[in-house]
Structures are given as structure tokens and as C-alpha cells.
Amino acid sequence: MLTQPASTSRKGRRFSWSLLAFRAFAALVAFLFLIFFEEWRKMLHPWMPYTETDGFDFGWDRHADLFLVPDTAVTLFQFAFGIAALILLVHPLGVSGLVSWLAAGLLMCSWASMFTALWAGTSLVEMTLLAVVMTVVLCVPLVLFHPQRKAIIRGGLPAKGAGPGNFLRWEMAVLGIAGAGLAIGSSIWRAGGGLFENPREDSVLSLVLFGLVLALGALLCRLGREGWKTLAYILNGMLAYALIALLTYAIS
């Protein structure tokens, strides 16, 4: 009877345990964004007001109508993170580009809290600790426990087979430029004194992060990284929802 070498068997066991751990943390990300933060319910906000969000104590009398766009932006990309994590829970292999996008997006969200502390006057130490905890609990495990961790750090492996066609490459180029422009434009607007309502607000971060998430995803799709098809569906879904939500706000 043929038997596998001991080294191969140990490698297989390490592979299985690391993949199990990866799935566990992907499930955690999906649970946090889809269930715990109730992003699925907030996605209905353009048509059904989310009273829990409107009634939250922000430290000043906040007029929710002024924040419709940034609030929708943060809800949208966090919901997209939850969907991506759910996909990775079921299908974690051969999508290293999608893993890279999710991990990078979570990392950006984690450390954006520094700006919240700067503007809102909250404790910088507490925000730093929060960022570290989110990085260690959400971001690092998605890279560390994935079998393709080195490739994920570089943005993922090139996908096998045909890459994105010319139309999708041009679409992703336009989407990436638009996302980068939104992030840069929002930053310049805030630096120049632009506000939605109060100097302590951090809502402009929602627009900056939304733009960066779109730009990064579009770049990975255009480069044809593993999982680019799934990522393209997610990005196009985000774009379609954003346009419909903006149209809804405009006519209402």
C-alpha cells in the first residue's frame, strides 16, 4: 500500500487547520457587518428611514437629511465587506485578489478612527487601541491564515484563464478614477473647511473610504487578480445601488 510522506501529511494538516481558521474569521467579519451592525437593514434607508441611526447621540443636534449621502456611502461599502466575507466563507480558495481587497478595506476602516479622534475630540489613545484591536482581530487573520498569504499582501495572484475584457477594463478604469477623485476631492473639501453641519463630524471619512474602496477594487479587477469576476460583480452592485439611492434622494 502506498502512503503519503510524513512531511506531506503534516503540510496537509496545517493547510486544513489554517483554512478552517480563515473561514472562522471570515464568518466573524460577515456576522459583524451584516448582522451585528445591521447593514442589511440600513441598506433600506433610502426608502425606509432607519430610526435607530437617526436617533443616535452624536453630541449635537444632527439633521439626518444633511448626512444622507455619507451615511449611505459607509453603509454600502460595509455591506459589501460583509457580502465579500460571506463569499470567502464558502469559497476561500482561488480568490486571493478578493481577500486582498477585503483585508485592505478593513485595514483602512480600522485606522480611519484616528481622524475621528482628531475631529471629534475623542481620546486618541482609545481610538488607537480600537484600531489595533480591529487590525488584529479582523485584518491580520484574513491574511495570516490564508494559504496564499504572501500573494494576498501583494494584491493577489494573477487569475488563471482569460482576464477581464476590454469593456470591463475600461469600466474599471473609469470607476477607479472616479473613486480616487471622490477620495481626493472629499479630503480637499474638508481641509478647506467644508462641513456637512458641525466641525466635530467625521462623515467626510465615509466618502473618502468609499472612494478608496472603489479605486482599489477597480485596480485589482483591471489587473485580473484571482476573484476579479466576483469583485467586479460586487463593485458594479455598489455602483448601481449608489446611483439608485442618489436618484431616490434627488426626487424625494
Side-chain angles (χ1 to χ4, degrees), residues 84-220:
L86 197 60
I87 293 172
L88 293 174
L89 172 63
V90 178
H91 184 65
L93 297 178
V95 286
S96 56
L98 181 61
V99 180
S100 182
W101 176 77
L102 177 59
L106 292 173
L107 187 64
M108 288 188 290
C109 290
S110 299
W111 289 95
S113 58
M114 299 298 97
F115 293 95
T116 299
L118 177 64
W119 293 330
T122 55
S123 172
L124 183 60
V125 174
E126 291 181 2
M127 290 295 100
T128 301
L129 289 175
L130 176 62
V132 171
V133 170
M134 290 182 63
T135 300
V136 172
V137 174
L138 300 182
C139 308
V140 173
L142 292 178
V143 178
L144 182 64
F145 292 116
H146 197 279
Q148 299 167 321
R149 63 182 68 88
K150 293 182 179 179
I152 290 171
I153 295 174
R154 298 192 298 268
L157 292 170
K160 297 179 181 179
N166 289 333
F167 175 80
L168 184 59
R169 286 175 59 83
W170 278 109
E171 182 198 357
M172 290 297 111
V174 172
L175 188 60
I177 293 173
L182 176 62
I184 295 171
S186 299
S187 300
I188 294 175
W189 177 72
R190 173 70 194 217
L195 297 171
F196 287 98
E197 188 175 54
N198 190 289
R200 294 168 56 192
E201 71 196 24
D202 62 353
S203 295
V204 71
L205 285 177
S206 302
L207 299 178
V208 173
L209 290 172
F210 182 75
L212 292 176
V213 165
L214 284 180
L216 176 60
L219 176 61
L220 294 177

Side-chain angles (χ1 to χ4, degrees), residues 29-42:
V29 172
F31 170 78
L32 286 176
F33 285 105
L34 297 179
I35 306 299
F36 186 78
F37 295 145
E38 295 190 318
E39 299 300 342
W40 67 271
R41 183 183 298 180
K42 296 176 187 177

Side-chain angles (χ1 to χ4, degrees), residues 43-48 68-69 72-73 76 210 235-252:
M43 288 285 285
L44 301 175
H45 186 73
W47 306 277
M48 298 175 60
L68 289 174
V69 172
T72 299
L76 180 51
F210 182 75
L235 295 179
N236 280 313
M238 293 173 65
L239 178 61
Y241 176 90
L243 293 176
I244 294 173
L246 288 175
L247 180 61
T248 300
Y249 294 147
I251 64 178
S252 61

